[in-house]
Amino acid sequence: MNKNEKNLVEGNLINMYRISKEWIDELEFYELELNFFNNLISERIASNTHKDLSHKDIYRNIDDLLFKLSNNLISEIKTHRKELVQLIDSNNFSQNSEESKIHLHLLEKMFRVKDGIKKLKKALFIYIKDNPFDFEFDTILNDL
């Protein structure tokens, strides 16, 4: 492998490392969102509405599924990042194509998580619009 090829492969590995860090940050944010939505669903919807109880169970199940998926995915991405660091630090670029395949597989999973969260939010916002909460804003401020 000549110097230009080596620089190109090393740059690819470094770029995958950087992108995988962004994915972890995104997934950790999604976890915060999912926790918020889970609390909203379980506390607000369950205590303030009485119709369409099966609808709320669906939201809870979707939330649990997405939460588990994001946790598993974070672990996979962290493992991928460790492998990338080992290759970069050791100047061992022979595994570049294998790590690229893993990276593409993780990219597909990220798209599925993002799509799932987008659908969950859309459904949740429609449900909340159709089933508004009865609460006073002053109560929320006092709780803060």
Side-chain angles (χ1 to χ4, degrees), residues 13-142:
L13 293 170
I14 291 170
N15 191 46
M16 287 189 293
Y17 180 83
R18 182 189 52 78
I19 290 170
S20 63
K21 172 64 175 135
E22 292 171 6
W23 289 344
I24 291 170
D25 291 343
E26 260 184 280
L27 291 171
E28 288 173 346
F29 178 75
Y30 290 153
E31 284 181 337
L32 291 173
E33 279 188 319
L34 291 173
N35 282 326
F36 171 78
F37 288 137
N38 189 45
N39 289 336
L40 179 68
I41 291 166
S42 63
E43 293 173 15
R44 298 291 184 192
I45 293 175
S47 66
N48 292 334
T49 64
H50 300 290
K51 72 176 200 176
D52 201 11
L53 295 177
S54 62
H55 197 65
K56 292 177 279 193
D57 288 337
I58 291 169
Y59 284 128
R60 286 189 199 108
N61 291 332
I62 291 172
D63 179 63
D64 288 342
L65 177 65
L66 289 171
F67 186 76
K68 289 175 187 174
L69 180 58
S70 69
N71 271 344
N72 292 336
L73 189 50
I74 287 174
S75 177
E76 286 182 54
I77 293 171
K78 285 182 178 179
T79 299
H80 176 57
R81 290 186 84 217
K82 286 178 187 174
E83 291 167 356
L84 291 169
V85 166
Q86 290 172 349
L87 293 177
I88 294 167
D89 287 348
S90 68
N91 284 323
N92 178 5
F93 303 124
S94 61
Q95 298 295 317
N96 179 53
S97 63
E98 184 62 33
E99 286 306 319
S100 292
K101 289 177 189 175
I102 292 169
H103 195 78
L104 287 174
H105 179 69
L106 293 171
L107 177 63
E108 291 171 7
K109 286 186 174 188
M110 283 296 297
F111 282 131
R112 286 196 302 268
V113 167
K114 288 178 183 183
D115 187 54
I117 289 175
K118 181 180 174 182
K119 288 176 182 175
L120 170 65
K121 286 180 186 179
K122 186 175 182 179
L124 181 60
F125 294 152
I126 289 169
Y127 185 76
I128 291 172
K129 180 181 165 215
D130 294 340
N131 298 281
F133 300 123
D134 293 325
F135 65 91
E136 295 180 27
F137 189 69
D138 291 340
T139 306
I140 295 172
L141 290 176
N142 290 336

